[in-house]
Amino acid sequence: MTTVEATGDRSLRRQMRAWRRDRADTTLYEQASEAYVWVFTIVLGGAMAISAMVQTRVSIASACTTSTCDDARTSLVWATVAGMVATTLAAAQAVGPVMVTPATGAWLLTTPVDRGPLLRRRLVAAAAAAAVACAAVVAVTGLLAGLGYGEIGVLSAGTALVGAAVTACAAIWQARDGRPTRIAALLLATATAVWMLLVALDVEPSTTTGWLGRPAGWIAAGVAGAAAVVLLVRAAARVPRLLRAQLVPGGSLLASLSGALAGLDLSLAYDVLVARRWRDRATVRPSRGGPEGLWALVWRDVVRLRRAPGALAALVAALLVPYVVLRLDLDDTTVLASALAAFLCGLWSFSALRTTGRNPGLVRCFPMSLAEVRSATLVVPGGLLLVWSLAAAPAIGRSLDDPTVADTLFVSVATGATALAAITRWMLAPPPDYSMPLIASPTGAIPTGLIGSALRGFDIVFLGVVPMLVAPNSTGALVSLALTGSVVSYLVARRSPR
């Protein structure tokens, strides 16, 4: 035991690093070449992104000509701050935030060494990642909202420190299975949604950002920094007490997600998140009875919504998007923003379609055809999107030029149908085909099928939205309905590749 204690965590990690380096086959020249390509790509892409954001800032400023629009932009910045803090808490609850890879959990955490130095580094890395993400998103939002550069700097720094502080809080609560983290994230998300609703209704309290460039802003950032330091110190003292069972699941989740994202397979990443969610849920109360035949599949979707109402909450949140966009005087982008919001937030209500789409053996067990099974799984989520499109009709109608009632209804329903077709395409897409020809990229050779895999769903969104952008009336909506209806009919009847 004395020898093991003298060895310690640092010696074991040094030995593991030596094993890896002894088996490395990449030369220093190859590493330098790859580093140069990455740095050049990041600098070039960053310059292009900054230039695009500055141009967008000018365009938004020229379109925003009323005082209510200015108030909405300022309120949107504060909503982004609260939303990013809620997102940080949710991400911290999902992965730990202190986590280790399965290999580290098997090789180091099972040894009688002090795990404090290892876990403290992971805590600092998680806090730094949260701070960078919060600062980047808030800075982009502030830039697009027209804030001064000094105000953007102070607000980004303060939000970054708050993100690090709440990550430390999540690490402190990790020993209690993250329940306080989940509650705090839910409360902040609810507050953000309520604030966005007030912005959409033009009844939000008056807010300002002018004080951020004054001493009061720096004092607030200093208080956030002091709180972050105190909480990080407290969390660092407690992380050695975390159990291996509380550290490894987060690392396994990140490993699975990184593997799915490395292949640009977003559907697989969705499957990983859904599997983790229901694995944490463990058990549910059985629901007996119900209709027979195809209606039994429809009824199971109703039961699933009752067990997991988060899918409905996501669609309600997406309903705020067209009204907020309209409040920002961005009428021309209302239809596109609405379709994208319905597509991204409606994914969680199509789990039955995804299950039957990726398990052809399960579909063969049903006494009905493949098209009938898939059509049944589209009834409930399709009905939800229809209700969503009718609820978004007032905002979409106000974004059109001199619309009639028929124009408003057709364009709104076509927007919901576009989201339905895009989600169906996304859920029923086959895995990426790695046998296709390769193309050169800064990260190496990439099969062309991976690029199409990353664009699945979004291509259908633009296919359905373009006719309504060209002709924002009943004619464009009918063309969009014809296109998206053809896509859904083809996807429902197509057999999955073996």
Side-chain angles (χ1 to χ4, degrees), residues 311-452:
L312 293 176
L315 281 175
V316 172
L319 186 60
L320 298 175
V321 172
Y323 293 93
V324 172
V325 171
L326 192 68
R327 178 81 190 282
L328 296 174
D329 291 342
L330 300 175
D331 299 1
D332 295 337
T333 62
T334 302
V335 174
L336 177 59
S338 301
L340 285 173
F343 165 54
L344 296 176
C345 296
L347 289 170
W348 303 103
S349 58
F350 284 76
S351 56
L353 179 65
R354 177 61 179 169
T355 301
T356 55
R358 68 172 185 171
N359 294 292
L362 175 64
V363 178
R364 296 190 190 99
C365 297
F366 292 105
M368 54 199 72
S369 65
L370 174 65
E372 290 176 334
V373 172
R374 290 179 176 176
S375 299
T377 58
L378 287 175
V379 172
V380 173
L384 292 177
L385 285 177
L386 176 61
V387 174
W388 181 93
S389 61
L390 294 177
I396 294 176
R398 289 177 58 187
S399 67
L400 305 177
D401 296 331
D402 298 327
T404 63
V405 176
D407 291 339
T408 301
L409 289 178
F410 276 114
V411 172
S412 301
V413 172
T415 303
T418 298
L420 174 65
I423 295 174
T424 304
R425 154 82 166 145
W426 199 81
M427 290 293 184
L428 296 180
D433 186 4
Y434 294 95
S435 63
M436 299 182 68
L438 303 178
I439 58 174
S441 72
T443 58
I446 300 179
T448 54
L450 293 184
I451 300 177

